[in-house]
Structures are given as C-alpha cells and as structure tokens.
C-alpha cells in the first residue's frame, strides 16, 4: 500500500540521471548549482525563472553547441510498472544568434531514441504521473520511443529597459511494444511561453511569464498475427475492466498552465534570485465509444504551487557563499467521469533549504561543496482501494566538486554526491542511499571550438534490501563553437 502510493506521487522529484545537461561544466562537478558562478546558473529571470524575455540580456554572444549523449540504467530496484532498464541515445543542437537591436534568437533541436527493456505491462509513456488510471496488457516486453524535439525562443528590448520574449516547443515520439499486443504509441507535446521583464534599475529586475502545455498520447494495440488482444483499464490498483478485440485504443490528453513571477537584485558582492509559479493542470482518459465518437473514462486535476529563492555572496575574490530555499505544494484528485465519482485524492508538501560555497584554492584550482535538506509530507486517500496513508520524510544530499586548470583552457573536473532519503518517493522503500560520481574534461580543439566531456555513474539502493539496486551511466560531450 505504502509503496504504490509513493511511487505514484511525484516521480519527477526523484534524483534523475537520464539526460545530459546543457551545463556540462557544473554537471561534471557533481551538479553544483547555487554556490558556483556559471553562465548557465545565473540568478536572472531567464536562467533561474525560465522567462524568455531576459534571453537578450543573458545570452550576449553567438554560439553553436552540439551535444551527443548516451545514457543507460539497469537494476531490480523499481516500482511495479517500470522497466528492467532504459537506454537513451541522442544528439542535441543548440544555437544562439545575437541580432543587435533586433534582439536575440535561440533555437535547439534534438533527436532521441529510447529503449525500455522489459517494460512491465503498462502501455503509457508516463505511467506514474499522479492519475488513478492505468492502461496495460498482460506481458513484459521491450518498448521503444523515437522522435525529435524543437525549441525556439526570441527576445528583444521593446522599450528602454522593458523586454519581451516568447518561446515555442514541440516534441513528437513514436513508440512500439515489440511483443504480444504490439501497442503503437503516438506521443505529442506542444506548448508556448511568453514573458516580460523590466529593469527597474541596473541592479533590480522584475519579470513575469505564462506557460501553456498541451500533451496528447494515442495508444493502439493490435496483434500482428491478426489475433484478438485483451487490454486492462485499471481504476486504482485493484479494479479494472477489460476490452478485447482486433484493435483496442486509448487516448490520454493533458493540458497545463503556469503563471510565474521572477525578481532579481544584485549589488557589488550580493545577488538574489526569486521565482514563484502557480500551475493548474488536468488529464483526461479517452476511450473510443462508437465508430466516430469518444468517451471520457477518467479525469484528474492538479494544482501546483512552488516558491524558490537563491542567493550568492562574494565574501572575497576567492570565496563565494551560496544558499537556497524552496516551498513546493501539489494536490490532486481523480474521478470516474460517467459516474462523477471521486476515487483518489492526494496532496504533497515539501520545504527545502541548502547552503554551500566555492573556494579558489589557487588560481588553477576551484573546489565547491553544497548541502541540501528537505522535509516532505504526503497524504493519500485512495477511496476505490480503501487505502489511506499519511507519511513524512527527511532527506539529505551532499554535493562536492573540483575543477583543475592543467594549462590554458584545459580543465579537469570531478564530482561526488551522497544522499540519504528516509523514504524513497520512487519506490516507497525506507532508507534509500544515493551515490553519484562525475568526471569531465574541457579543452580547446581549435581557436573557435571547445570540447566539454561528461561522464556520470550513480546508484540508488535501499539500506535494508541488499539485493536491490538501480544503476545509471551517462556519457556525453559538447562541441562548442563561438561563431556560426
């Protein structure tokens, strides 16, 4: 009971190692984030608050970055509807073009191939997204997803000290289960983000942004041998109804909106960034009713609020102190639409704080350390299954990183993370340990080209189950051209 609830609530909060960050430098240093001076981790509205309006001020140089990467995970430490391991390979290309008084243009595109090995029964791409509905067959099998993703951002100074910006993104994936039901998935994600920012003074910036997201996933199961397939539509963990036929389909439609506010203030030695977001969203589970009509089987609503603040203080030329704090709240309910019957209601709250510093031991040697603590509580009432849970957890995470300049523009980087979760929100197991090692090299190849490589190896393991673990390996590098 406890495990199933926790694995459903906020899978996104899990320590995630399956993608190569755009900031290969800080990732190579153990993921240092709030105590290090780095172009990709400034506290301004664009980098900290994802406000597209401030792009024109944050990105002042033209560049092109090409990032191939590979990641793999494996192990038996996982929730029920998950795979034995995931492999992901792809390439991301990011470019920024400064246009002078006309503003700044940002574009990125990637093409990824993901293979989920022995994906257990579920046919949804995001099974643990907080809804009370599952769509499954009766087998395990490899499930592959492949497709492109595109993001475009434009920002300009519309009036003196007043900036506007907009972003659009689009992702489309095709998925295929390679056994039994041979389920075919078409996953589409689209959205746009608009923002405005005003520089009240040289040291004080106010911004606001609005993000809209629309996701649609269509799943069709049809046996290649022209035999009937049997599919299971779960409501909760135990109750389901089946559909059998030569072709069985389901659609998942998700819509979300987020309204954000950002503030940034700086002085000669102190900088502070603040952001807050309110994000309502909903999910509709759609079944075919007749030949040309559809029927809403289930509905889930989400209300999310978050608040974050980060600050950096330059105590001396060599020492920087950083700190951060955050509040996070989300609540959700799911209902069977035809009967207007609520079957699940849950909420989750988290408060987190951290402190850290980076110190330049010598002109060629930088060291950093960060500590984070968060306390969370979750309350679940799954009426359909008669399960009522109230839990809390305290979690700790330590990051340490080193950067050594061997000679001009040749850098070696190392990082280590250690974390302890009183309860693991991925699986619901008590006392989970997190260990992560990172390594990277940065060096110039030509006058206008720089290479940054990145390697990560990490693991999750519960303290009381020595035979269970989950491992992650990520390898990537960025080719950085400062003109194109």
């Amino acid at each position: 009971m406890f495990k199933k609830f926790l694995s459903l609530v906020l899978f996104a909060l899990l320590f995630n190692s399956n993608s190569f960050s755009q900031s290969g430098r800080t990732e190579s240093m153990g993921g240092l984030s709030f105590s290090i001076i780095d172009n990709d981790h400034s506290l301004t509205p664009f980098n900290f608050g994802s406000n597209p309006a401030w792009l024109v001020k944050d990105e002042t140089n033209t560049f092109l970055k090409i990032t191939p990467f590979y990641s793999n995970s494996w192990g038996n430490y996982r929730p029920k509807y998950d795979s034995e391991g995931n492999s992901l390979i792809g390439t991301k290309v990011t470019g920024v073009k400064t246009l002078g008084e006309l503003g700044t243009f940002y574009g990125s595109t990637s093409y990824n191939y993901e293979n989920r090995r022995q994906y257990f029964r579920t046919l949804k791409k995001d099974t643990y997204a907080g809804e009370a509905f599952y769509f499954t067959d009766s087998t395990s099998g490899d499930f592959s997803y492949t497709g492109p993703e595109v993001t475009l951002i434009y920002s300009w100074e519309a009036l003196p000290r007043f900036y506007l910006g907009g972003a659009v993104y689009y992702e489309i994936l095709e998925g295929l289960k390679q056994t039994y039901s041979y389920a075919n998935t078409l996953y589409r994600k689209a959205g746009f983000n608009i923002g405005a920012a005003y520089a009240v003074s040289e040291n004080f910036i106010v911004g606001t942004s609005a993000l809209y997201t629309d996701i649609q996933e269509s799943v069709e199961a049809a046996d290649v041998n022209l035999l009937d397939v049997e599919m299971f539509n779960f409501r909760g963990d135990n109750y389901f109804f089946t559909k059998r036929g030569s072709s069985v389909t389901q659609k998942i439609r998700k819509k979300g909106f987020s309204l954000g506010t950002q503030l940034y203030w700086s002085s000669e030695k102190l900088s502070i960034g603040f952001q807050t977001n309110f994000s309502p969203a909903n999910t509709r589970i759609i079944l075919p009713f007749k030949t040309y009509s559809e029927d809403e089987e289930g509905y889930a609503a989400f209300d999310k609020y978050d608040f974050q603040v980060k600050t950096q203080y330059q105590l001396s030329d060599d020492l920087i102190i950083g700190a951060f704090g955050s509040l996070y709240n989300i609540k959700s309910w799911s209902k069977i639409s035809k009967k207007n019957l609520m079957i699940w209601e849950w909420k989750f709250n988290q408060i987190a704080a951290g402190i850290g510093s980076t110190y330049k031991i010598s002109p060629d040697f930088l060291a950093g350390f960060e500590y984070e603590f968060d306390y969370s509580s979750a309350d679940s009432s799954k009426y359909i299954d008669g399960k009522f849970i109230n839990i809390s957890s305290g979690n700790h995470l330590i990051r340490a990183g080193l950067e050594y300049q061997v000679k001009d523009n040749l850098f070696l980087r190392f990082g280590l993370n250690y974390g302890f979760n009183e309860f693991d929100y991925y699986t619901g197991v008590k006392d989970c340990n997190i260990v992560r090692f990172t390594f990277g090299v940065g060096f110039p190849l030509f006058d206008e080209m720089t290479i940054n490589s990145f390697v990560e190896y990490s693991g999750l393991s519960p303290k009381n189950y020595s035979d269970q673990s989950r491992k992650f390996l990520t390898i990537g590098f960025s080719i950085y051209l400062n003109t194109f």
Side-chain angles (χ1 to χ4, degrees), residues 14-15 77 396-397 417-424 429-436 458-465 468-472:
L14 171 68
F15 167 90
Y77 183 53
H396 306 263
L397 179 62
N417 293 170
Y418 175 75
F420 174 78
N421 293 345
E422 189 177 351
F423 295 106
D424 179 12
V429 175
K430 295 182 178 181
D431 300 334
C432 176
N433 296 314
I434 302 167
V435 179
R436 179 173 180 248
S458 57
L460 300 170
S461 59
K463 181 179 179 180
N464 299 321
Y465 299 88
Q468 294 187 18
S469 65
R470 190 79 168 180
K471 307 296 184 182
F472 302 86

Side-chain angles (χ1 to χ4, degrees), residues 95-116:
V96 169
K97 187 71 173 179
T98 57
L99 305 172
E101 294 183 356
L102 297 178
T104 298
F105 176 80
Y106 170 105
S108 73
T109 181
S110 63
Y111 194 89
N112 304 321
Y113 173 81
E114 179 185 7
N115 184 48
R116 303 182 180 186

Side-chain angles (χ1 to χ4, degrees), residues 66-110:
I66 304 170
T67 309
F69 61 89
Y70 166 79
S71 68
N72 189 26
S73 67
W74 64 96
N76 58 357
Y77 183 53
R78 58 185 186 273
K80 178 180 179 180
Y81 294 120
D82 201 355
S83 63
E84 292 183 358
N86 287 15
S87 58
L88 176 65
I89 186 170
T91 298
K92 184 171 186 176
V93 180
T94 301
V96 169
K97 187 71 173 179
T98 57
L99 305 172
E101 294 183 356
L102 297 178
T104 298
F105 176 80
Y106 170 105
S108 73
T109 181
S110 63

Side-chain angles (χ1 to χ4, degrees), residues 146-387:
T146 183
E149 180 179 2
V150 177
T151 301
L152 302 174
I153 308 175
Y154 177 68
S155 169
W156 79 102
E157 187 175 5
L159 296 170
R161 298 194 298 176
F162 181 68
Y163 303 87
L164 295 175
V168 294
Y169 60 89
Y170 187 81
E171 178 184 13
I172 187 165
L173 298 173
E174 291 186 349
L176 177 65
K177 185 169 185 176
Q178 299 168 24
T179 187
Y180 178 54
S181 63
Y182 297 94
N184 188 282
T185 296
L186 183 63
Y187 178 91
R188 176 197 49 82
K189 181 178 181 180
F192 64 86
N193 187 5
I194 57 174
Y198 180 65
V200 180
S201 67
E202 292 183 1
N203 301 325
F204 184 42
I205 306 163
V206 178
T208 184
S209 58
L211 170 67
Y212 174 78
T213 304
D214 186 292
I215 299 173
Q216 179 171 299
E217 182 177 6
S218 299
V219 183
E220 180 180 8
D223 195 298
V224 296
N225 300 309
L226 303 180
L227 301 174
D228 283 357
V229 293
E230 184 177 28
M231 313 305 294
F232 302 85
N233 290 276
F234 276 86
R235 301 166 169 177
D237 297 325
N238 302 314
Y239 299 98
F240 62 87
F241 65 92
T242 63
K243 289 187 70 70
R244 178 186 291 271
S246 58
S247 176
V248 179
T249 63
Q250 183 177 108
K251 290 183 180 179
I252 301 100
R253 293 177 178 169
K254 302 184 179 185
K255 294 183 179 181
F257 176 79
S258 181
L259 182 63
T261 300
Q262 307 87 33
L263 300 175
Y264 173 73
W265 181 85
S266 66
S267 65
E268 183 179 353
K269 294 186 176 182
L270 178 66
S271 61
I272 301 173
F274 163 90
Q275 69 155 329
T276 184
N277 299 279
F278 174 65
S279 309
N282 66 75
T283 299
R284 298 173 63 218
I285 309 298
I286 307 295
L287 303 179
F289 182 60
K290 293 182 180 179
T291 305
Y292 298 105
S293 64
E294 295 178 336
D295 186 29
E296 183 180 284
E297 154 64 13
Y299 181 89
F302 303 86
D303 285 315
K304 180 170 61 176
Y305 171 79
D306 69 89
F307 161 92
Q308 297 180 58
V309 61
K310 290 185 179 181
T311 182
Q312 293 178 341
Y313 181 73
Q314 188 170 355
L315 197 62
S316 68
D317 291 341
D318 298 324
L319 179 62
I320 294 172
I321 306 295
F324 100 101
S326 67
L327 294 171
Y328 183 87
N329 172 271
I330 184 171
K331 57 183 179 180
S332 172
W333 53 266
S334 298
K335 71 174 183 178
I336 299 174
S337 298
K338 275 192 172 181
K339 297 183 178 181
N340 197 30
L341 178 64
M342 183 184 294
I343 59 175
W344 191 26
E345 188 175 17
W346 60 265
K347 60 183 178 180
F348 178 88
N349 298 283
Q350 182 188 69
I351 183 170
I355 190 168
S357 69
T358 53
Y359 180 65
K360 195 167 252 190
I361 300 173
S362 71
D364 301 325
F365 193 16
L366 178 69
F369 179 87
E370 294 177 352
Y371 168 73
E372 290 184 24
F373 173 78
D374 71 75
Y375 178 81
S376 57
S377 62
D379 191 343
S380 169
S381 298
K382 189 166 283 188
Y383 306 111
I384 191 169
D385 295 321
K387 298 177 180 178

